[in-house]
Amino acid sequence: MAMAARDHQTPTHGAGPREPASGRRQLVILGLLFLLPVLAAYLAYFFLPPEGRTNYGELIEQRDVSDFALTPLATAAGSVPEGASMATLSGRWVFVVAAPAACDERCRENLYNIRQVRLTTGENRDRIERLWIVTDERDPPAELLAEHDGLRLARADPRMFASTFPAGETGDAAAHIYLVDPLGHLMMRFPVDPDPSRMKKDISRLLKVSRIG
Protein backbone atom coordinates (compact mmCIF):
# COMPACT_ATOMS: atom_id res chain seq x y z
CA MET A 1 0.00 0.00 0.00
CA ALA A 2 2.82 2.39 0.92
CA MET A 3 4.56 1.72 -2.41
CA ALA A 4 1.34 2.33 -4.29
CA ALA A 5 0.87 5.63 -2.49
CA ARG A 6 4.36 6.73 -3.37
CA ASP A 7 3.81 5.78 -7.01
CA HIS A 8 0.63 7.83 -7.04
CA GLN A 9 2.30 10.91 -5.54
CA THR A 10 5.44 10.98 -7.68
CA PRO A 11 3.96 12.51 -10.90
CA THR A 12 2.19 15.25 -8.90
CA HIS A 13 5.36 16.09 -6.99
CA GLY A 14 7.54 16.33 -10.15
CA ALA A 15 5.17 18.10 -12.56
CA GLY A 16 4.73 21.40 -10.70
CA PRO A 17 8.09 23.16 -11.00
CA ARG A 18 8.88 21.96 -14.51
CA GLU A 19 6.10 23.94 -16.25
CA PRO A 20 7.22 27.52 -15.38
CA ALA A 21 10.84 26.63 -16.10
CA SER A 22 9.83 25.31 -19.49
CA GLY A 23 7.83 28.47 -20.17
CA ARG A 24 10.80 30.66 -19.32
CA ARG A 25 13.03 28.65 -21.60
CA GLN A 26 10.57 29.11 -24.45
CA LEU A 27 10.49 32.89 -23.89
CA VAL A 28 14.28 33.05 -23.87
CA ILE A 29 14.47 31.02 -27.08
CA LEU A 30 11.88 33.25 -28.79
CA GLY A 31 13.77 36.35 -27.69
CA LEU A 32 17.03 35.01 -29.06
CA LEU A 33 15.39 34.10 -32.36
CA PHE A 34 14.06 37.66 -32.66
CA LEU A 35 17.44 39.24 -31.89
CA LEU A 36 19.47 36.86 -34.01
CA PRO A 37 19.07 38.64 -37.39
CA VAL A 38 20.29 41.99 -36.03
CA LEU A 39 23.08 40.38 -34.00
CA ALA A 40 24.16 38.49 -37.11
CA ALA A 41 24.24 41.75 -39.07
CA TYR A 42 26.48 43.35 -36.45
CA LEU A 43 28.82 40.38 -36.33
CA ALA A 44 29.01 39.94 -40.08
CA TYR A 45 29.55 43.62 -40.77
CA PHE A 46 31.77 44.80 -37.95
CA PHE A 47 33.63 41.75 -36.67
CA LEU A 48 33.98 39.49 -39.69
CA PRO A 49 34.68 41.97 -42.51
CA PRO A 50 36.61 40.93 -45.62
CA GLU A 51 40.28 41.89 -45.47
CA GLY A 52 40.88 45.57 -46.06
CA ARG A 53 37.26 46.70 -45.51
CA THR A 54 36.47 49.22 -42.80
CA ASN A 55 33.27 50.99 -41.87
CA TYR A 56 33.03 54.73 -42.41
CA GLY A 57 30.60 55.59 -39.63
CA GLU A 58 31.90 55.25 -36.10
CA LEU A 59 30.44 52.30 -34.23
CA ILE A 60 29.43 53.67 -30.84
CA GLU A 61 28.49 51.87 -27.66
CA GLN A 62 25.22 50.20 -28.50
CA ARG A 63 22.38 51.59 -26.43
CA ASP A 64 18.62 51.23 -26.46
CA VAL A 65 17.05 54.56 -27.45
CA SER A 66 13.59 53.18 -28.19
CA ASP A 67 12.14 55.03 -25.17
CA PHE A 68 13.53 58.41 -26.25
CA ALA A 69 10.44 60.66 -26.25
CA LEU A 70 9.47 62.54 -29.40
CA THR A 71 7.06 65.49 -29.34
CA PRO A 72 4.95 66.05 -32.47
CA LEU A 73 5.00 69.21 -34.57
CA ALA A 74 1.29 69.83 -34.86
CA THR A 75 1.42 72.00 -37.99
CA ALA A 76 3.99 70.03 -39.99
CA ALA A 77 3.30 67.21 -42.42
CA GLY A 78 5.34 64.14 -41.57
CA SER A 79 5.24 64.79 -37.83
CA VAL A 80 5.30 61.81 -35.48
CA PRO A 81 2.01 61.22 -33.62
CA GLU A 82 1.19 62.28 -30.08
CA GLY A 83 2.93 60.13 -27.47
CA ALA A 84 5.59 58.97 -29.92
CA SER A 85 9.09 57.75 -29.12
CA MET A 86 11.90 56.25 -31.17
CA ALA A 87 10.03 52.96 -30.82
CA THR A 88 7.37 54.47 -33.13
CA LEU A 89 9.89 54.12 -35.96
CA SER A 90 11.09 50.65 -35.00
CA GLY A 91 11.30 48.06 -37.73
CA ARG A 92 13.39 50.29 -40.00
CA TRP A 93 16.91 51.68 -40.05
CA VAL A 94 16.64 55.34 -39.03
CA PHE A 95 18.96 58.21 -39.99
CA VAL A 96 18.66 60.88 -37.29
CA VAL A 97 19.51 64.57 -37.67
CA ALA A 98 19.02 67.15 -34.92
CA ALA A 99 18.95 70.93 -35.45
CA PRO A 100 16.87 74.05 -34.72
CA ALA A 101 13.98 74.78 -37.09
CA ALA A 102 15.88 77.53 -38.91
CA CYS A 103 18.21 74.79 -40.20
CA ASP A 104 21.59 76.29 -40.99
CA GLU A 105 23.85 75.24 -43.85
CA ARG A 106 25.15 72.12 -42.06
CA CYS A 107 21.63 71.05 -41.15
CA ARG A 108 20.49 71.42 -44.76
CA GLU A 109 23.52 69.47 -45.95
CA ASN A 110 22.76 66.66 -43.49
CA LEU A 111 19.14 66.49 -44.60
CA TYR A 112 20.26 66.41 -48.23
CA ASN A 113 22.76 63.64 -47.52
CA ILE A 114 20.33 61.32 -45.77
CA ARG A 115 17.76 61.91 -48.52
CA GLN A 116 20.24 61.06 -51.27
CA VAL A 117 21.75 58.08 -49.47
CA ARG A 118 18.30 56.61 -48.95
CA LEU A 119 17.36 57.13 -52.61
CA THR A 120 20.55 55.49 -53.86
CA THR A 121 19.75 52.26 -52.00
CA GLY A 122 17.15 51.59 -54.70
CA GLU A 123 14.62 48.90 -53.81
CA ASN A 124 15.84 48.95 -50.20
CA ARG A 125 14.93 52.60 -49.64
CA ASP A 126 11.66 51.66 -47.91
CA ARG A 127 13.72 49.96 -45.21
CA ILE A 128 15.16 53.34 -44.24
CA GLU A 129 13.46 56.13 -42.30
CA ARG A 130 14.72 59.72 -41.96
CA LEU A 131 14.04 61.68 -38.79
CA TRP A 132 14.72 65.35 -38.15
CA ILE A 133 14.58 66.16 -34.44
CA VAL A 134 13.83 69.88 -34.14
CA THR A 135 15.58 71.24 -31.06
CA ASP A 136 13.65 74.47 -30.52
CA GLU A 137 10.00 75.57 -30.37
CA ARG A 138 9.72 76.90 -33.93
CA ASP A 139 8.48 75.09 -37.02
CA PRO A 140 10.75 74.44 -40.02
CA PRO A 141 10.17 76.45 -43.22
CA ALA A 142 7.54 74.87 -45.45
CA GLU A 143 9.71 75.35 -48.54
CA LEU A 144 12.50 73.33 -46.92
CA LEU A 145 10.17 70.50 -45.97
CA ALA A 146 8.85 70.44 -49.54
CA GLU A 147 12.33 69.39 -50.65
CA HIS A 148 12.29 66.34 -48.36
CA ASP A 149 9.21 64.31 -49.04
CA GLY A 150 8.73 61.52 -46.50
CA LEU A 151 10.97 63.10 -43.87
CA ARG A 152 9.66 62.40 -40.36
CA LEU A 153 9.64 65.30 -37.89
CA ALA A 154 9.68 65.47 -34.11
CA ARG A 155 10.70 67.88 -31.38
CA ALA A 156 13.02 67.15 -28.44
CA ASP A 157 15.01 69.05 -25.86
CA PRO A 158 18.57 69.58 -27.17
CA ARG A 159 20.10 68.67 -23.80
CA MET A 160 18.18 65.40 -23.72
CA PHE A 161 19.27 64.69 -27.27
CA ALA A 162 22.92 65.37 -26.47
CA SER A 163 22.80 63.12 -23.39
CA THR A 164 21.29 60.24 -25.39
CA PHE A 165 23.11 60.66 -28.71
CA PRO A 166 26.81 61.13 -27.83
CA ALA A 167 28.83 63.55 -29.92
CA GLY A 168 32.26 62.09 -29.23
CA GLU A 169 35.28 64.36 -29.58
CA THR A 170 33.40 67.11 -31.44
CA GLY A 171 31.14 67.82 -28.46
CA ASP A 172 28.33 68.84 -30.83
CA ALA A 173 25.63 66.18 -31.18
CA ALA A 174 23.69 68.30 -33.69
CA ALA A 175 26.64 68.27 -36.09
CA HIS A 176 26.39 64.53 -36.72
CA ILE A 177 24.10 62.11 -38.50
CA TYR A 178 23.21 59.07 -36.39
CA LEU A 179 21.95 55.62 -37.34
CA VAL A 180 19.47 53.66 -35.22
CA ASP A 181 18.85 49.99 -35.96
CA PRO A 182 15.40 48.39 -36.46
CA LEU A 183 15.23 47.32 -32.80
CA GLY A 184 15.71 50.88 -31.55
CA HIS A 185 19.43 50.66 -30.73
CA LEU A 186 21.68 53.60 -31.47
CA MET A 187 24.67 52.06 -33.24
CA MET A 188 26.57 54.50 -35.47
CA ARG A 189 27.64 58.13 -35.69
CA PHE A 190 28.86 59.62 -38.97
CA PRO A 191 31.61 62.25 -39.14
CA VAL A 192 30.89 65.95 -39.36
CA ASP A 193 30.42 66.96 -43.03
CA PRO A 194 30.24 63.30 -44.09
CA ASP A 195 30.97 61.73 -47.47
CA PRO A 196 27.55 60.45 -48.68
CA SER A 197 29.11 57.82 -50.96
CA ARG A 198 30.83 56.24 -47.97
CA MET A 199 27.67 56.52 -45.89
CA LYS A 200 25.87 54.61 -48.62
CA LYS A 201 28.43 51.80 -48.47
CA ASP A 202 27.86 51.43 -44.72
CA ILE A 203 24.07 51.30 -44.90
CA SER A 204 24.07 49.10 -48.01
CA ARG A 205 26.23 46.51 -46.26
CA LEU A 206 24.00 46.57 -43.20
CA LEU A 207 20.88 46.14 -45.32
CA LYS A 208 22.53 43.25 -47.11
CA VAL A 209 23.42 41.27 -43.98
CA SER A 210 20.31 42.15 -41.98
CA ARG A 211 17.08 40.20 -42.37
CA ILE A 212 14.95 42.67 -40.48
CA GLY A 213 14.31 46.33 -41.11
mmCIF file of all heavy atoms in Angstrom, residues 43-61:
data_model
loop_
_atom_site.group_PDB
_atom_site.id
_atom_site.type_symbol
_atom_site.label_atom_id
_atom_site.label_comp_id
_atom_site.label_asym_id
_atom_site.label_seq_id
_atom_site.Cartn_x
_atom_site.Cartn_y
_atom_site.Cartn_z
ATOM 1 N N LEU A 43 27.632 41.240 -36.293
ATOM 2 C CA LEU A 43 28.816 40.378 -36.330
ATOM 3 C C LEU A 43 29.404 40.305 -37.732
ATOM 4 O O LEU A 43 30.608 40.438 -37.924
ATOM 5 C CB LEU A 43 28.439 38.974 -35.838
ATOM 6 C CG LEU A 43 28.148 38.847 -34.340
ATOM 7 C CD1 LEU A 43 27.587 37.462 -34.026
ATOM 8 C CD2 LEU A 43 29.417 39.084 -33.531
ATOM 9 N N ALA A 44 28.525 40.092 -38.711
ATOM 10 C CA ALA A 44 29.007 39.935 -40.083
ATOM 11 C C ALA A 44 29.628 41.219 -40.610
ATOM 12 O O ALA A 44 30.608 41.191 -41.345
ATOM 13 C CB ALA A 44 27.846 39.499 -40.990
ATOM 14 N N TYR A 45 29.072 42.353 -40.207
ATOM 15 C CA TYR A 45 29.552 43.618 -40.765
ATOM 16 C C TYR A 45 30.780 44.170 -40.045
ATOM 17 O O TYR A 45 31.746 44.597 -40.650
ATOM 18 C CB TYR A 45 28.429 44.656 -40.728
ATOM 19 C CG TYR A 45 28.861 45.979 -41.316
ATOM 20 C CD1 TYR A 45 29.294 46.063 -42.634
ATOM 21 C CD2 TYR A 45 28.878 47.126 -40.538
ATOM 22 C CE1 TYR A 45 29.710 47.277 -43.174
ATOM 23 C CE2 TYR A 45 29.290 48.336 -41.073
ATOM 24 C CZ TYR A 45 29.702 48.401 -42.393
ATOM 25 O OH TYR A 45 30.118 49.588 -42.912
ATOM 26 N N PHE A 46 30.729 44.123 -38.700
ATOM 27 C CA PHE A 46 31.771 44.799 -37.949
ATOM 28 C C PHE A 46 32.900 43.891 -37.466
ATOM 29 O O PHE A 46 34.012 44.350 -37.249
ATOM 30 C CB PHE A 46 31.165 45.512 -36.738
ATOM 31 C CG PHE A 46 30.274 46.644 -37.126
ATOM 32 C CD1 PHE A 46 28.907 46.534 -36.996
ATOM 33 C CD2 PHE A 46 30.802 47.806 -37.640
ATOM 34 C CE1 PHE A 46 28.080 47.574 -37.365
ATOM 35 C CE2 PHE A 46 29.986 48.860 -38.014
ATOM 36 C CZ PHE A 46 28.629 48.739 -37.877
ATOM 37 N N PHE A 47 32.609 42.603 -37.276
ATOM 38 C CA PHE A 47 33.631 41.754 -36.669
ATOM 39 C C PHE A 47 34.168 40.677 -37.602
ATOM 40 O O PHE A 47 35.170 40.056 -37.310
ATOM 41 C CB PHE A 47 33.072 41.111 -35.390
ATOM 42 C CG PHE A 47 32.658 42.126 -34.375
ATOM 43 C CD1 PHE A 47 31.313 42.397 -34.162
ATOM 44 C CD2 PHE A 47 33.599 42.854 -33.671
ATOM 45 C CE1 PHE A 47 30.921 43.354 -33.243
ATOM 46 C CE2 PHE A 47 33.215 43.812 -32.752
ATOM 47 C CZ PHE A 47 31.881 44.063 -32.533
ATOM 48 N N LEU A 48 33.496 40.467 -38.722
ATOM 49 C CA LEU A 48 33.980 39.488 -39.690
ATOM 50 C C LEU A 48 34.063 40.101 -41.080
ATOM 51 O O LEU A 48 33.596 39.527 -42.052
ATOM 52 C CB LEU A 48 33.035 38.265 -39.718
ATOM 53 C CG LEU A 48 32.913 37.500 -38.401
ATOM 54 C CD1 LEU A 48 31.812 36.446 -38.516
ATOM 55 C CD2 LEU A 48 34.228 36.847 -38.019
ATOM 56 N N PRO A 49 34.642 41.318 -41.203
ATOM 57 C CA PRO A 49 34.684 41.971 -42.515
ATOM 58 C C PRO A 49 35.755 41.359 -43.397
ATOM 59 O O PRO A 49 36.766 40.863 -42.896
ATOM 60 C CB PRO A 49 35.049 43.418 -42.175
ATOM 61 C CG PRO A 49 35.844 43.295 -40.921
ATOM 62 C CD PRO A 49 35.299 42.126 -40.163
ATOM 63 N N PRO A 50 35.548 41.367 -44.723
ATOM 64 C CA PRO A 50 36.608 40.934 -45.615
ATOM 65 C C PRO A 50 37.867 41.767 -45.392
ATOM 66 O O PRO A 50 37.792 42.915 -44.953
ATOM 67 C CB PRO A 50 36.026 41.193 -47.013
ATOM 68 C CG PRO A 50 34.557 41.206 -46.807
ATOM 69 C CD PRO A 50 34.337 41.775 -45.427
ATOM 70 N N GLU A 51 39.001 41.213 -45.693
ATOM 71 C CA GLU A 51 40.276 41.892 -45.467
ATOM 72 C C GLU A 51 40.300 43.242 -46.178
ATOM 73 O O GLU A 51 39.942 43.371 -47.336
ATOM 74 C CB GLU A 51 41.424 41.021 -45.968
ATOM 75 C CG GLU A 51 42.796 41.584 -45.662
ATOM 76 C CD GLU A 51 43.897 40.653 -46.110
ATOM 77 O OE1 GLU A 51 43.580 39.527 -46.530
ATOM 78 O OE2 GLU A 51 45.058 41.066 -46.042
ATOM 79 N N GLY A 52 40.724 44.259 -45.462
ATOM 80 C CA GLY A 52 40.879 45.571 -46.062
ATOM 81 C C GLY A 52 39.634 46.431 -46.018
ATOM 82 O O GLY A 52 39.667 47.578 -46.418
ATOM 83 N N ARG A 53 38.482 45.900 -45.536
ATOM 84 C CA ARG A 53 37.260 46.700 -45.508
ATOM 85 C C ARG A 53 37.056 47.294 -44.120
ATOM 86 O O ARG A 53 37.181 46.611 -43.117
ATOM 87 C CB ARG A 53 36.052 45.824 -45.868
ATOM 88 C CG ARG A 53 34.814 46.658 -46.162
ATOM 89 C CD ARG A 53 33.591 45.782 -46.320
ATOM 90 N NE ARG A 53 33.045 45.394 -45.029
ATOM 91 C CZ ARG A 53 32.158 44.424 -44.868
ATOM 92 N NH1 ARG A 53 31.769 43.706 -45.894
ATOM 93 N NH2 ARG A 53 31.686 44.118 -43.675
ATOM 94 N N THR A 54 36.759 48.567 -44.074
ATOM 95 C CA THR A 54 36.468 49.219 -42.804
ATOM 96 C C THR A 54 35.184 50.025 -42.943
ATOM 97 O O THR A 54 34.837 50.491 -44.025
ATOM 98 C CB THR A 54 37.610 50.168 -42.391
ATOM 99 O OG1 THR A 54 37.825 51.128 -43.430
ATOM 100 C CG2 THR A 54 38.897 49.384 -42.146
ATOM 101 N N ASN A 55 34.477 50.182 -41.831
ATOM 102 C CA ASN A 55 33.267 50.989 -41.870
ATOM 103 C C ASN A 55 33.635 52.463 -41.782
ATOM 104 O O ASN A 55 34.637 52.847 -41.184
ATOM 105 C CB ASN A 55 32.319 50.603 -40.735
ATOM 106 C CG ASN A 55 32.999 50.542 -39.387
ATOM 107 O OD1 ASN A 55 33.776 49.621 -39.134
ATOM 108 N ND2 ASN A 55 32.712 51.508 -38.526
ATOM 109 N N TYR A 56 32.809 53.282 -42.389
ATOM 110 C CA TYR A 56 33.032 54.730 -42.409
ATOM 111 C C TYR A 56 32.455 55.383 -41.152
ATOM 112 O O TYR A 56 33.127 56.143 -40.464
ATOM 113 C CB TYR A 56 32.393 55.323 -43.658
ATOM 114 C CG TYR A 56 32.468 56.829 -43.745
ATOM 115 C CD1 TYR A 56 33.690 57.492 -43.721
ATOM 116 C CD2 TYR A 56 31.311 57.592 -43.869
ATOM 117 C CE1 TYR A 56 33.756 58.878 -43.807
ATOM 118 C CE2 TYR A 56 31.361 58.969 -43.963
ATOM 119 C CZ TYR A 56 32.592 59.609 -43.932
ATOM 120 O OH TYR A 56 32.659 60.977 -44.018
ATOM 121 N N GLY A 57 31.194 55.081 -40.857
ATOM 122 C CA GLY A 57 30.597 55.595 -39.634
ATOM 123 C C GLY A 57 31.253 54.974 -38.418
ATOM 124 O O GLY A 57 31.750 53.851 -38.455
ATOM 125 N N GLU A 58 31.271 55.726 -37.327
ATOM 126 C CA GLU A 58 31.901 55.245 -36.098
ATOM 127 C C GLU A 58 30.910 54.417 -35.298
ATOM 128 O O GLU A 58 29.832 54.879 -34.926
ATOM 129 C CB GLU A 58 32.381 56.427 -35.258
ATOM 130 C CG GLU A 58 33.081 56.011 -33.978
ATOM 131 C CD GLU A 58 33.510 57.200 -33.147
ATOM 132 O OE1 GLU A 58 33.312 58.351 -33.606
ATOM 133 O OE2 GLU A 58 34.042 56.989 -32.041
ATOM 134 N N LEU A 59 31.273 53.160 -35.055
ATOM 135 C CA LEU A 59 30.439 52.296 -34.229
ATOM 136 C C LEU A 59 30.542 52.779 -32.793
ATOM 137 O O LEU A 59 31.628 52.856 -32.225
ATOM 138 C CB LEU A 59 30.917 50.852 -34.339
ATOM 139 C CG LEU A 59 30.094 49.811 -33.572
ATOM 140 C CD1 LEU A 59 28.690 49.722 -34.151
ATOM 141 C CD2 LEU A 59 30.780 48.455 -33.614
ATOM 142 N N ILE A 60 29.414 53.159 -32.207
ATOM 143 C CA ILE A 60 29.432 53.668 -30.837
ATOM 144 C C ILE A 60 28.825 52.623 -29.914
ATOM 145 O O ILE A 60 28.246 51.637 -30.360
ATOM 146 C CB ILE A 60 28.665 55.009 -30.732
ATOM 147 C CG1 ILE A 60 27.225 54.850 -31.233
ATOM 148 C CG2 ILE A 60 29.368 56.088 -31.516
ATOM 149 C CD1 ILE A 60 26.426 56.136 -31.179
ATOM 150 N N GLU A 61 29.011 52.829 -28.636
ATOM 151 C CA GLU A 61 28.490 51.870 -27.658
ATOM 152 C C GLU A 61 26.988 51.690 -27.875
ATOM 153 O O GLU A 61 26.217 52.647 -27.785
ATOM 154 C CB GLU A 61 28.756 52.365 -26.236
ATOM 155 C CG GLU A 61 28.250 51.419 -25.167
ATOM 156 C CD GLU A 61 28.446 51.980 -23.765
ATOM 157 O OE1 GLU A 61 29.091 53.039 -23.640
ATOM 158 O OE2 GLU A 61 27.940 51.368 -22.829
#
